[in-house]
Amino acid sequence: MIRKLSENTINRIAAGEVIERPASVVKELVENALDAGSSAIEVALSAGGRSMIRVADNGFGMTAAELELAVERHATSKLAEDDLVNIRTLGFRGEALPSIAAVSRLKILSRPRAGGDAHEIRVEGGRKHAVRPAAHSNGTVIEVTDLFFAVPARLKFLKSERAETAEAADVVRRLAMAHPGVRFTMTSDGRSLVDLRAGELEARIHAVMGREFQGNTVAIDAVRETVKLTGLVSLPTYHRAQANQQYVHVNGRPVRDKVIAGALRGAYADFMMRGRHPAVALFLTVPPDEVDVNVHPAKTEVRFRDQAMVRGLIVGSIRQALADAGHRASNTVGAGTINSFRPETSAYQPQPQSWTTPSRPGFQETQAAFEAFAPPSGAGVSEAPAEDELDTPLGAPRTQVHENYIISQTRDGVVIVDQHAAHERLVYEKMKAQFAASGVATQPLLVPEIVELDAASAERLLDASADLAASGLVIDSFGPAAIAVREVPSLIAGGNIARLIQDVADDLETFDATTGVRERMDHVLSTMACHGSVRSGRRLKPEEMNALLREMEATPHSGQCNHGRPTYVELKLSDIERLFGRS
């Protein structure tokens, strides 16, 4: 038998779509406060939002008649003539307040800014009380207590109080970033979590993202057709284990969109190892009729009319900004290095000696002792640097240590370069340039190299043979589980071909149907560049070290290798002097 559900059951079902956890309540109430034209919003939580959620604003406020309608389903002041295309507010469905009221105890206290008396309305588990007069200043206060008391089964799906509080604070920060002209505060059980004063957008971004983000970003400002993209994105060497530092907004609405997330992965695919994520604060401005914000009840997802264009704008503008950054690397790399030398973090502590100090040798003996430590001829130690080289970004190379690290002197410090990581990036950028121009230059092998593989790997390589040939790797079948390599890119000639083929086969296995051809080829080129770079353990001559540094300065993205690791660390002289108590 078919029957119509009761109004209370309908509201609880709607609440299940809109109100998942305390953070969902905070999001809906703060969005309402922003739509009400507030310049200051205060959020307070108790017990992670289970016991109490309170949002106060100084917005337009509501009259007694508006309060009566506000807790009814699909009652809204934000849709002009029921236009679902030209949406310019954060909320518009009219589901938030009745959904919250269906599963909690809700109290709304409001007074209109335009003048009039304050009124209050209460709703408990969907049961509405009459509107009554109250005492209140301009604006609105909404208090939600005993969340999910009407549906106690939902409580067991909530996380710990700390986790729920952290999620609610993240919601406030995301909304605050998109509305820098509004003052935001948030407390949890009396403890301040968010305190953001009204100000400029860049100051708000840095206040939310933290001090480290401020010095490790490049600016984005691009337009394609009718879509504008602005914001800040991190350098590839400044990354996170999770994507929780990715703040993306569409027309002032914080979103977690799959298209945008995929575009960010594509933009950093050349520069960041898998499993790491950039930190970004991006703002997309799209004509309302070209983006659908009515995709999900929680309004956290959007759908663009031209998704390919939006993705191309994000990928292209970020890659261009990173290219303009040149060889610049994250300043946290050098700071982390300095911190590793701090005396309090050192495992070594000098111990008092019991033996007698020998008599001090004469000057000639000391000089001879130092000469005994002089490196052998041709060990890669340069003469005194030229004055003009000291003023270059990466300085003048002075020596090589451990057959892998180049020590360079600048005018105000030193630079330590990982020769393998740096050369890997240089080779990769050359191969990409060749590939884009006319295909990668190849070198035929006098005798084809036969590489034994499993049948599946061999099949993957043969299926991609045309693309691999454009990348400079020419292969043929040699039996059911073997590959004959006939040509290799000239830039990596002389490397371990068998290992290279196995790594390329592994790369091809990780790709899926959504991976673009260019993205696949860039990853293959990256793998080949790794095999063709200067290996750790090779001793370089002074002129080779100098050539490597100068080429890094002229090559985009040379501040990080193909896997996102830094290629150099810069230590300022002032930092080094502080280590020795000289300043």
Side-chain angles (χ1 to χ4, degrees):
M1 181 180 69
I2 299 176
R3 68 181 181 87
K4 187 176 180 180
L5 295 174
S6 67
E7 188 67 22
N8 194 36
T9 302
I10 292 172
N11 285 341
R12 290 184 183 183
I13 292 173
E17 295 177 339
V18 178
I19 308 303
E20 300 176 358
R21 58 196 304 186
S24 305
V25 177
V26 172
K27 174 182 178 296
E28 297 292 344
L29 298 185
V30 173
E31 285 181 349
N32 281 347
L34 289 168
D35 286 339
S38 305
S39 61
I41 299 174
E42 299 176 0
V43 181
L45 268 66
S46 179
R50 287 179 174 88
S51 298
M52 187 272 294
I53 299 171
R54 185 177 184 271
V55 176
D57 67 62
N58 61 351
F60 299 139
M62 291 178 280
T63 64
E66 289 172 332
L67 270 179
E68 183 80 30
L69 279 175
V71 293
E72 296 291 335
R73 291 198 68 207
H74 305 304
T76 181
S77 61
K78 304 170 187 178
L79 281 184
E81 300 178 355
D82 296 339
D83 184 2
L84 281 173
V85 176
N86 192 27
I87 295 175
R88 300 180 181 273
T89 56
L90 296 175
F92 55 91
R93 289 169 171 265
E95 288 183 313
L97 292 179
S99 295
I100 295 169
V103 296
S104 68
R105 293 183 172 89
L106 175 70
K107 182 177 75 171
I108 307 177
L109 184 63
S110 188
R111 180 180 181 182
R113 184 188 296 172
D117 297 327
H119 291 84
E120 173 186 293
I121 189 170
R122 294 174 181 264
V123 186
E124 298 182 357
R127 185 167 58 90
K128 184 170 67 172
H129 296 264
V131 176
R132 63 183 185 181
H136 184 59
S137 58
N138 293 340
T140 301
V141 176
I142 301 180
E143 188 172 289
V144 178
T145 56
D146 297 333
L147 184 62
F148 297 132
F149 89 94
V151 282
R154 297 286 299 277
L155 289 171
K156 64 183 180 181
F157 293 98
L158 297 183
K159 298 181 180 179
S160 67
E161 291 185 9
R162 182 185 296 273
E164 295 296 346
T165 300
E167 184 68 19
D170 184 63
V171 165
V172 173
R173 293 188 187 99
R174 289 181 184 276
L175 286 164
M177 184 179 290
H179 301 85
V182 179
R183 169 75 184 273
F184 283 85
T185 60
M186 177 179 174
T187 60
S188 174
D189 295 315
R191 181 169 56 94
S192 177
L193 298 180
V194 176
D195 189 356
L196 300 170
R197 298 181 180 276
E200 299 298 323
L201 176 59
E202 188 169 346
R204 174 62 58 85
I205 292 174
H206 294 151
V208 172
M209 302 287 283
R211 183 177 298 178
E212 282 191 353
F213 182 78
Q214 181 173 355
N216 295 296
T217 60
V218 292
I220 303 293
D221 190 352
V223 178
R224 183 173 296 186
E225 298 180 15
T226 57
V227 180
K228 181 177 178 64
L229 177 68
T230 58
L232 298 171
V233 299
S234 67
L235 293 167
T237 44
Y238 182 84
H239 44 71
R240 290 288 182 265
Q242 296 179 338
N244 56 0
Q245 284 285 296
Q246 294 181 358
Y247 292 76
V248 181
H249 304 80
V250 178
N251 294 346
R253 182 188 305 277
V255 299
R256 288 186 171 101
D257 184 76
K258 294 179 181 178
V259 171
I260 297 175
L264 290 175
R265 287 194 299 270
Y268 281 87
D270 267 4
F271 321 113
M272 198 169 290
M273 68 186 75
R274 297 193 179 192
R276 306 298 295 183
H277 305 273
V280 305
L282 290 175
F283 304 86
L284 274 165
T285 303
V286 188
D289 60 344
E290 294 187 15
V291 57
D292 185 2
V293 299
N294 197 21
V295 177
H296 189 275
K299 306 183 296 296
T300 56
E301 299 177 13
V302 295
R303 182 181 293 121
F304 299 101
R305 175 173 292 181
D306 190 345
Q307 294 188 354
M309 185 270 289
V310 173
R311 187 184 192 280
L313 170 63
I314 295 172
V315 173
S317 58
I318 291 178
R319 287 191 171 183
Q320 182 60 51
L322 296 178
D324 293 342
H327 66 274
R328 181 182 164 206
S330 165
N331 61 25
T332 57
V333 176
T337 305
I338 286 292
N339 288 335
S340 69
F341 288 116
R342 298 291 182 193
E344 59 269 20
T345 63
S346 174
Y348 170 75
Q349 294 293 336
Q351 301 296 323
Q353 306 297 330
S354 59
W355 58 77
T356 303
T357 303
S359 58
R360 184 179 300 275
F363 176 79
Q364 293 300 324
E365 290 180 344
T366 304
Q367 181 66 26
F370 279 139
E371 290 174 352
F373 289 100
S377 176
V381 180
S382 67
E383 300 296 330
E387 286 296 310
D388 57 339
E389 289 182 346
L390 290 176
D391 293 320
T392 58
L394 296 180
R398 300 306 307 273
T399 189
Q400 179 192 33
V401 296
H402 296 291
E403 284 73 45
N404 186 57
Y405 300 103
I406 299 171
I407 309 298
S408 176
Q409 179 181 344
T410 63
R411 183 71 65 181
D412 61 348
V414 297
V415 174
I416 307 173
V417 177
D418 182 333
Q419 67 186 37
H420 170 65
H423 196 245
E424 180 180 331
R425 170 57 69 177
L426 299 181
V427 172
Y428 178 38
E429 293 299 327
K430 288 180 181 178
M431 294 178 74
K432 282 202 302 181
Q434 290 181 1
F435 181 79
S438 57
V440 176
T442 65
Q443 177 175 315
L445 301 179
L446 294 177
V447 179
E449 176 130 358
I450 309 303
V451 181
E452 298 286 343
L453 299 164
D454 61 272
S457 295
E459 187 67 24
R460 285 195 301 271
L461 286 165
L462 292 173
D463 287 343
S465 60
D467 292 330
L468 293 177
S471 302
L473 194 60
V474 180
I475 60 173
D476 284 328
S477 175
F478 195 81
I483 293 293
V485 183
R486 301 191 179 279
E487 296 180 34
V488 297
S490 56
L491 287 171
I492 68 169
N496 187 330
I497 296 177
R499 179 66 181 275
L500 169 63
I501 292 296
Q502 184 62 67
D503 286 351
V504 171
D506 291 343
D507 286 342
L508 295 175
E509 186 178 13
T510 63
F511 298 136
D512 55 34
T514 63
T515 307
V517 173
R518 180 57 189 267
E519 188 176 342
R520 293 175 62 186
M521 289 303 97
D522 281 349
H523 199 81
V524 169
L525 291 174
S526 174
T527 300
M528 291 193 289
C530 184
H531 284 267
S533 60
V534 173
R535 311 306 296 181
S536 300
R538 176 181 166 185
R539 180 166 294 178
L540 300 181
K541 298 177 181 178
E543 56 269 24
E544 290 176 319
M545 293 188 286
N546 188 64
L548 181 65
L549 299 187
R550 303 290 80 82
E551 193 168 356
M552 286 177 65
E553 293 167 348
T555 302
H557 317 307
S558 62
Q560 61 280 325
C561 74
N562 309 349
H563 311 294
R565 292 187 292 268
T567 58
Y568 71 91
V569 173
E570 183 176 8
L571 305 178
K572 296 297 185 182
L573 186 59
S574 58
D575 293 325
I576 299 174
E577 289 177 338
R578 278 199 296 270
L579 290 176
F580 294 94
R582 296 174 64 94
S583 62

